[in-house]
Amino acid sequence: MTEPDSLGEWQPDRNLAMELVRATEAAAMRSTPWIGRGDKLAADGAAVDAMRRFLSTVNMRGTVVIGEGEKDDAPWLYNGEVVGNGEGAECDVAVDPIDGTRLTAEGRPGALSVIAVADRGSMYDPSAVFYMDKLVCGPIGVGVVDIRRPIGENIRALARAKRVDVSDIRVAVLDRPRHEQLISEIRAAGAGTRLLMDGDVAGGVNAARWDSNIDLCVGIGGTPEGIITACAVKALGGVIQGRLWPKDDEERQRALDAGHDLDRVLEANDLVASDNCYFVATGITDAEFVDGVKRNGPFVRAESIVMRAHSGTIRHVTSDMDPNRWS
């Protein structure tokens, strides 16, 4: 059941996140037979199908604003698709049935199934600019780090705030050719790197968590993943900053035509305007903050994390399911 806010508008209910976790569990469970089998399209297809079927039971009137269609040429969970059972609040829905399809296909750690939900119209529209230069860290970085400054300055400032040596700072970066100079600058500053094969969302969430081994996540990654990460960062009280990074002249012109200021630094409230937002993730393979799906005697165990920004609540959910009766 939903409750009206002070303006009389209907908001997503606090129980929504616990319904959403069934959809991420479903996607994680259905993708596990494909772990390590080298077929990321099959893994993603299984996850998309399972997530979509379970989302149809959730008490909301959701519109997918960050989906699979445009970036993966998928027939389901595309931008603009209506999801939910048609009751409850109107919501923006961002999905990534597998954040880390290559990690899943190769049997590597860090793959997640992710959903973020916020009030309708509150998620940022990047106008098909698929990449963003991002900086993410935890609450101690508020007012300390700034994406406009050189990475070395940010590392030293964060080390001072944490009262640790620069050599103790660990920075997560996607392992891509475009980041060769950035990685060199991080190491030249005296910090260590944690190079990510994939897993843009997991890297950002790890950097925002107070109990993580990652202090900072930087570099160019997906804009949709940045918006999803912002929902988690708002619950964790951390910092996320980003600037759109068009990959070519055509995308740059499209962004300018849509009215985007490519020099503008987008903060958490720009990426997700509402504090009434949720982040839900289930591990497919082991990640730092959730384990992957595992056989546990006659059951299959899935671990999830559920965050609600409005209350700052973070719940860890462990589900044991009989695969012969699970639905």
Side-chain angles (χ1 to χ4, degrees), residues 125-285:
D125 178 6
S127 299
V129 180
F130 293 123
Y131 290 97
M132 175 185 287
D133 187 15
K134 289 175 280 190
L135 178 151
V136 186
C137 71
I140 203 166
V142 175
V144 172
V145 297
D146 192 317
I147 196 172
R148 288 163 285 216
R149 298 209 304 257
I151 187 62
E153 289 185 19
N154 281 321
I155 288 169
R156 290 186 287 273
L158 189 59
R160 288 193 297 270
K162 289 194 164 194
R163 299 183 180 180
V164 299
D165 292 334
V166 167
S167 61
D168 293 324
I169 298 294
R170 296 292 176 265
V171 184
V173 189
L174 283 171
D175 189 6
R176 300 289 188 271
R178 62 178 179 264
H179 289 149
E180 287 180 2
Q181 180 63 33
L182 177 60
I183 291 167
S184 295
E185 291 174 3
I186 292 167
R187 292 170 176 169
T193 54
R194 291 292 182 269
L195 300 184
L196 308 175
M197 173 184 284
D198 283 302
D200 205 353
V201 173
V205 173
N206 272 329
R209 293 169 53 241
W210 67 270
D211 57 346
S212 171
N213 292 323
I214 300 298
D215 301 286
L216 196 62
C217 183
V218 297
I220 297 161
T223 303
E225 287 82 356
I227 297 167
I228 292 171
T229 302
C231 290
V233 170
K234 294 187 79 160
L236 293 164
V239 175
I240 182 168
Q241 297 177 327
R243 289 179 292 202
L244 295 178
W245 191 84
K247 65 180 184 294
D248 53 34
D249 290 341
E250 180 182 348
E251 194 170 89
R252 173 179 292 274
Q253 190 58 53
R254 191 159 59 240
L256 293 173
D257 291 343
H260 289 298
D261 178 357
L262 298 180
D263 293 323
R264 179 188 177 193
V265 173
L266 300 163
E267 311 268 354
N269 286 333
D270 299 311
L271 296 171
V272 185
S274 172
D275 283 334
N276 196 40
C277 59
Y278 303 82
F279 173 90
V280 181
T282 300
I284 297 172
T285 59

Side-chain angles (χ1 to χ4, degrees), residues 12 16 20 23-24 51-52 54-56 58-68 77-85 89-97 114-124 224 227-228 231 272 276-278 280:
L16 180 62
L20 293 171
T24 56
M51 179 176 282
R52 183 173 183 267
F54 272 78
L55 280 177
S56 69
V58 175
N59 190 46
M60 66 178 179
R61 291 173 287 157
T63 300
V64 175
V65 298
I66 295 172
E68 290 285 290
L77 295 180
Y78 53 84
N79 288 13
E81 182 174 356
V82 175
V83 294
N85 65 5
E90 291 190 49
C91 308
D92 282 352
V93 181
V95 300
D96 200 346
V114 180
I115 296 174
V117 169
D119 292 329
R120 184 75 180 111
S122 63
M123 287 187 180
Y124 179 72
I227 297 167
I228 292 171
C231 290
V272 185
N276 196 40
C277 59
Y278 303 82
V280 181

